[in-house]
Amino acid sequence: MTESVLVIGAGIGGLCTALSLAPTGRTITILERDQPPPADDPDVVFLDWHRRGAGHVRQSHAFLARLRNIIKQHHPKLLEELKALGTRDLTFDMMLTEQQREVYEPQPEDADLTIITSRRTTLELAIRRYVEGLDNVTIRPGFFARKLTTQESEGGVIEVCGVSGEENDAPVALSADIIVDASGKSGFLIQQLMDEGAAIGEESETAGILYFTRHYRLRPGQEEPSRTENPPASGDLGYIKFGVFPGDNGCFSVTVSVPEVELELRKAIMNPDVFHAVTLQLPGVEPWTNAARSEPRGKVHGMGDLHSRWRDMVVEETPATRNYYPLGDTLVRTNPLYGRGCSFAAVSAEMLRETLEETFDANERQRVYHAKLRTELRPYYMNQRAQDRSAIKRAEAALTLGYKKSWRGKLVESFFEDGVRIALRSDVDLLRQAMRGFHMLEHPNKWLGKPANLGRVLWYWARGRKRNAAAYPPKPGPERDQMMLALNLDPKADMRQTSVEAELAA
């Protein structure tokens, strides 16, 4: 294959593009604005690697099974290198409740429901070192891509044929047959195409939350808390969602997401002392973060501007561009709460490889790539957007004085809390099927759409709380007012503001 490829960005999206396209024999050049990792030691890299182009690099990360399975199938040696650097596998059996473990019978397909978890910097370090060893891949650090080289072609379609910018402060212009834009959340080159008249479709709305993460390290001689003897280390309290992410080399991170409307809490939680105090109020997190077991490392890393965004490069069968393929956050963004960002990028790279192998026609390539992404990613995007909208309403309701849930609202909540949740915590096979949707191995709603599965859920729901008592998890944390008071915050402050805004709106 003689086609040349320029990939903008050496984050997860750009690296996954190289993993997907390298076996095709194309010449691949990755342009990365930041300098390479400063060392081969994951701890040094975590502390000293400056990633201006990936501001979320120190947020919690995990690779879902869909991405892990891609690596396992096409680059098994990379899995070995990831493990050698200390990354972790979280297997299906580790997600079972104590009740489920008593009846669990492993199935061959359970191995495909494995998560890779680690500090993001360690994940990037391992993949980057592997990609640098591929014969037809070159990474050019210090290259700040400022502009796409374009020309308008037949039908008003914008043809992209290169990239210009600075490489270590010297002006450089490069051309290639294929341009892949993996510049991510902070990328701006696709906006250039829109400004030049490219008919790119876009939909966007807020995810309604902000993210806050702090890293910890186990003290010498300490081990991670037991997953069976302690409450779950993740949960949803409405006013916050939280989770512990086991990392590499004795490290782990805690992420707390706060609704946008929780103004007082989201301001206070950037204070490391307040963040740590929050973790100690959560029964499933406290065993990880108490002073006897671990110590915090560094500041609280916040992340805002979280939106669900979908861009279409083909509208009504007409491509907006030629030879230009955005992927990852450049093309589709979702709430990071669901951990699908890296998998979206990897799947997009696989779809691009398939597209380039199926046809050489530039316009047809755009249509095929677009259709594949719609089929593979759109269901997860829509599913996550619906969950975001529901969470936003729930957070707003909690701050609305006098709010009362409707009868229908109570029924729907009971179905999911006392039916779906309890069924998944009781029935191993239902959980297995649901996890296939979570891991992007099949449509996210497929398992519940099966009549037999829905019948099982309804059966658990009809049993009632008393008969299902053993399946209910411990309470994940305190009520909002109790948490706010424990943090020396006024639990009524945002409620008063909400009330004033409601009166003004009326």
Side-chain angles (χ1 to χ4, degrees):
M1 180 58 65
T2 59
E3 286 183 311
S4 58
V5 182
L6 283 178
V7 180
I8 304 165
I12 298 297
L15 295 173
C16 284
T17 301
L19 291 176
S20 293
L21 297 187
T24 70
R26 292 176 171 84
T27 301
I28 303 164
T29 302
I30 305 177
L31 310 176
E32 170 55 47
R33 64 179 291 183
D34 294 328
Q35 293 302 320
D40 290 323
D41 185 326
D43 289 336
V44 175
V45 171
F46 176 77
L47 293 173
D48 297 339
W49 194 13
H50 300 293
R51 296 285 279 113
R52 294 170 299 170
H56 56 292
V57 74
R58 286 174 178 80
Q59 295 292 332
S60 299
H61 277 77
F63 286 175
L64 299 184
R66 180 72 178 269
L67 174 48
R68 183 184 183 277
N69 292 347
I70 289 172
I71 296 174
K72 180 180 178 181
Q73 179 180 358
H74 299 293
H75 299 277
K77 186 178 177 182
L78 174 55
L79 274 187
E80 297 175 10
E81 295 184 10
L82 284 163
K83 290 182 180 179
L85 280 181
T87 66
R88 305 276 301 283
D89 279 352
L90 301 183
T91 54
F92 175 70
D93 61 286
M94 296 170 70
M95 303 172 193
L96 301 176
T97 64
E98 185 175 356
Q99 181 182 2
Q100 289 171 319
R101 288 190 183 94
E102 294 176 357
V103 297
Y104 174 57
E105 295 181 4
Q107 299 297 319
E109 61 266 29
D110 292 349
D112 290 334
L113 302 175
T114 300
I115 294 173
I116 297 176
T117 183
S118 170
R119 291 175 290 186
R120 161 74 180 259
T121 49
T122 304
L123 294 168
E124 278 201 30
L125 174 65
I127 302 174
R128 183 167 176 142
R129 293 291 186 244
Y130 180 87
V131 166
E132 286 175 329
L134 300 175
D135 292 338
N136 54 330
V137 179
T138 301
I139 300 179
R140 293 174 64 163
F143 193 113
F144 191 176
R146 291 195 178 275
K147 192 173 189 216
L148 298 170
T149 306
T150 63
Q151 61 185 28
E152 188 172 334
S153 58
E154 181 182 352
V157 177
I158 294 178
E159 187 167 332
V160 180
C161 46
V163 178
S164 63
E166 295 90 39
E167 187 170 19
N168 297 317
D169 299 326
V172 179
L174 302 174
S175 60
D177 301 305
I178 297 166
I179 311 297
V180 178
D181 190 346
S183 53
K185 181 180 176 182
S186 60
F188 52 83
L189 297 176
I190 195 170
Q191 186 61 49
Q192 172 198 331
L193 299 177
M194 293 176 168
D195 294 342
E196 292 180 8
I200 299 171
E202 179 176 298
E203 57 188 69
S204 178
E205 62 183 69
T206 180
I209 65 168
L210 296 92
Y211 246 52
F212 303 92
T213 294
R214 197 176 190 197
H215 290 262
Y216 291 77
R217 183 164 220 151
L218 295 172
R219 294 187 183 278
Q222 291 293 319
E223 297 182 352
E224 293 179 355
S226 168
R227 296 176 185 276
T228 58
E229 298 174 4
N230 293 290
S234 62
D236 181 357
L237 292 169
Y239 63 93
I240 61 169
K241 298 179 178 66
F242 62 90
V244 173
F245 291 75
D248 57 281
N249 300 293
C251 297
F252 64 93
S253 60
V254 179
T255 291
V256 178
S257 67
V258 182
E260 289 178 341
V261 294
E262 289 280 0
L263 302 179
E264 293 296 309
L265 182 55
R266 78 187 218 196
K267 286 188 295 184
I269 203 170
M270 282 297 293
N271 182 320
D273 293 335
V274 173
F275 185 97
H276 187 67
V278 170
T279 71
L280 298 180
Q281 292 291 316
L282 303 171
V285 181
E286 187 276 338
W288 291 79
T289 63
N290 68 69
R293 191 182 300 270
S294 66
E295 58 182 343
R297 292 170 59 88
K299 65 179 184 179
V300 177
H301 300 275
M303 182 169 63
D305 187 30
L306 301 179
H307 285 74
S308 293
R309 183 179 67 198
W310 181 278
R311 284 171 169 157
D312 281 316
M313 303 303 295
V314 176
V315 179
E316 295 181 354
E317 294 300 308
T318 302
T321 62
R322 233 179 247 127
N323 308 325
Y324 171 80
Y325 301 91
L327 52 74
D329 283 351
T330 308
L331 189 65
V332 184
R333 284 173 58 185
T334 54
N335 186 338
L337 180 69
Y338 308 100
R340 287 176 173 154
C342 294
S343 296
F344 270 35
V347 171
S348 298
E350 285 290 286
M351 297 303 100
L352 177 58
R353 176 185 56 77
E354 293 180 5
T355 297
L356 298 180
E357 292 178 349
E358 289 176 16
T359 178
F360 285 94
D361 181 83
N363 287 330
E364 187 61 19
R365 278 179 166 179
Q366 298 289 341
R367 295 189 187 96
V368 171
Y369 181 59
H370 168 77
K372 287 179 179 292
L373 294 182
R374 278 249 162 194
T375 299
E376 289 291 330
L377 301 184
R378 185 74 176 177
Y380 304 99
Y381 171 82
M382 297 298 290
N383 177 268
Q384 292 174 201
R385 193 180 69 175
Q387 291 187 56
D388 287 342
R389 290 177 176 179
S390 176
I392 290 171
K393 289 181 179 179
R394 182 182 171 193
E396 290 175 344
L399 295 179
T400 302
L401 294 173
Y403 172 80
K404 292 184 179 180
K405 201 171 294 181
S406 68
W407 178 86
R408 182 180 182 277
K410 292 179 180 178
L411 186 68
V412 171
E413 180 179 339
S414 176
F415 173 71
F416 283 100
E417 291 294 315
D418 304 315
V420 174
R421 181 177 64 153
I422 298 307
L424 294 179
R425 289 180 57 83
S426 303
D427 191 307
V428 175
D429 189 56
L430 285 182
L431 178 64
R432 182 181 287 119
Q433 294 184 59
M435 292 303 293
R436 290 189 61 80
F438 173 79
H439 282 293
M440 298 178 58
L441 300 178
E442 59 186 35
H443 192 290
N445 298 325
K446 181 177 179 180
W447 77 274
L448 191 54
K450 296 178 180 178
N453 291 347
L454 178 58
R456 290 289 292 168
V457 169
L458 292 174
W459 181 80
Y460 279 103
W461 190 26
R463 279 166 52 93
R465 283 178 168 266
K466 187 174 181 180
R467 295 177 67 187
N468 290 330
Y472 281 90
K475 190 175 180 181
E479 298 294 336
R480 179 182 179 277
D481 284 8
Q482 184 182 347
M483 174 69 84
M484 297 290 277
L485 291 172
L487 303 176
N488 293 317
L489 300 176
D490 181 0
K492 303 299 181 184
D494 291 328
M495 285 189 175
R496 285 196 293 267
Q497 182 65 26
T498 302
S499 179
V500 169
E501 290 175 354
E503 289 174 5
L504 291 175

